Amino acid sequence: MGSRRDVPQTVPGSGAAPTVVGVDACATGWVAVTLRAGAFAGAETATGLAEVLSRVPDATVVAVDMPLGLLEAGERRADTLAVSEMAPHRSRVFPVPPREVWLEEDYAAANQCCRRITGRGMSRQTWGLAVKLREANACRDRGDHRLHEVHPEVSFATMNGSRPVAWSKKSWNGQAVRRGLLVAEGIVLPEDLGPAGRVPADDLLDAAAAAWSAHRIARRTARSLPDPPELTEAGLPVAIWC
């Protein structure tokens, strides 16, 4: 993967002890977990993703739990492969409709557009990502190529020996298992996270898993689904990293 354009090349701080960030959407905006040399270095929230990015100029990779790269037609191979990785919990990954669907102004129009293009409708849950999906893609389209797409459940499965976590991320057992996987990777979330601790636990764990994948991307040990990534019409990569 070393020479691929979607992996940061010679960037300050990209050596043995990179600073990276994992970001997840939450009810108040975004929650971010920073790692330095693979260890927890802080957690914070922001209303906008651009604000998060401006706070971490030294980060070599920012991994975000949000689809990056929308195709003109057809399914993204990233989603198809991620679904396979999550068996038997395939419902944890949803297919990302083509770009035209996300240009609609409301759910009814988007659902109709999705049926016309793909032959199937769009769930309200998927449409609920529209604002943040547009925000994340706009940040990357404007030139912040530190941004990489991740899927925390795929990241946790990778930590877990290519086995998806059996328990829901909203359950006590599920959160305990995910936190244990992070600890085994050297990422210890403190008991007191300050204001960031008001964010639901599953969002914080997802941000930490995204940061784990970001560290792997920075160290060039991550996998991309697919490998090599697909490309948008603008030549930007479409892949889920883990």
Side-chain angles (χ1 to χ4, degrees):
M1 298 181 189
S3 62
R4 199 172 300 145
R5 59 174 292 179
D6 48 307
V7 179
Q9 299 300 314
T10 306
V11 182
S14 61
T19 295
V20 300
V21 180
V23 188
D24 188 48
C26 62
T28 57
W30 302 86
V31 58
V33 168
T34 298
L35 303 182
R36 291 194 176 91
F40 177 82
E44 58 187 319
T45 60
T47 55
L49 184 57
E51 181 181 355
V52 173
L53 296 171
S54 70
R55 292 178 186 174
V56 288
D58 61 330
T60 61
V61 177
V62 179
V64 59
D65 177 19
M66 192 60 60
L68 293 175
L70 304 174
L71 302 181
E72 297 303 311
E75 294 185 349
R76 302 191 327 161
R77 289 186 61 212
D79 303 325
T80 303
L81 292 170
V83 167
S84 297
E85 296 249 336
M86 292 309 300
H89 303 283
R90 294 180 176 88
S91 63
R92 294 177 184 175
V93 180
F94 66 88
V96 178
R99 184 181 64 84
E100 184 179 347
V101 175
W102 300 99
L103 300 178
E104 299 292 348
E105 293 186 359
D106 56 42
Y107 170 68
N111 188 40
Q112 184 178 19
C113 180
C114 192
R115 286 191 182 280
R116 174 173 56 82
I117 294 174
T118 69
R120 61 175 180 269
M122 180 185 200
S123 71
R124 287 188 178 273
Q125 182 180 10
T126 300
W127 177 248
L129 297 176
V131 171
K132 288 188 171 71
L133 180 147
R134 293 167 182 161
E135 182 183 0
N137 279 272
C139 286
R140 191 175 72 154
D141 291 347
R142 287 195 295 263
D144 199 328
H145 295 162
R146 296 178 299 168
L147 283 166
H148 287 66
E149 177 184 348
V150 296
H151 191 300
E153 287 300 292
V154 177
S155 297
F156 279 122
T158 303
M159 293 182 218
N160 197 37
S162 299
R163 299 186 307 274
V165 177
W167 300 93
S168 164
K169 67 179 183 178
K170 293 187 180 296
S171 69
W172 173 271
N173 287 356
Q175 291 181 9
V177 170
R178 287 166 176 80
R179 193 167 181 178
L181 288 170
L182 290 168
V183 169
E185 295 293 331
I187 302 172
V188 181
L189 301 178
E191 296 299 323
D192 185 356
L193 287 170
R198 301 189 184 103
V199 173
D202 58 313
D203 291 331
L204 274 162
L205 290 169
D206 281 353
W212 176 80
S213 288
H215 182 70
R216 284 164 58 86
I217 295 167
R219 297 295 302 274
R220 308 186 191 283
T221 59
R223 294 183 299 137
S224 72
L225 305 175
D227 184 6
E230 291 181 282
L231 297 176
T232 66
E233 284 199 341
L236 293 174
V238 183
I240 292 173
W241 293 84
C242 56

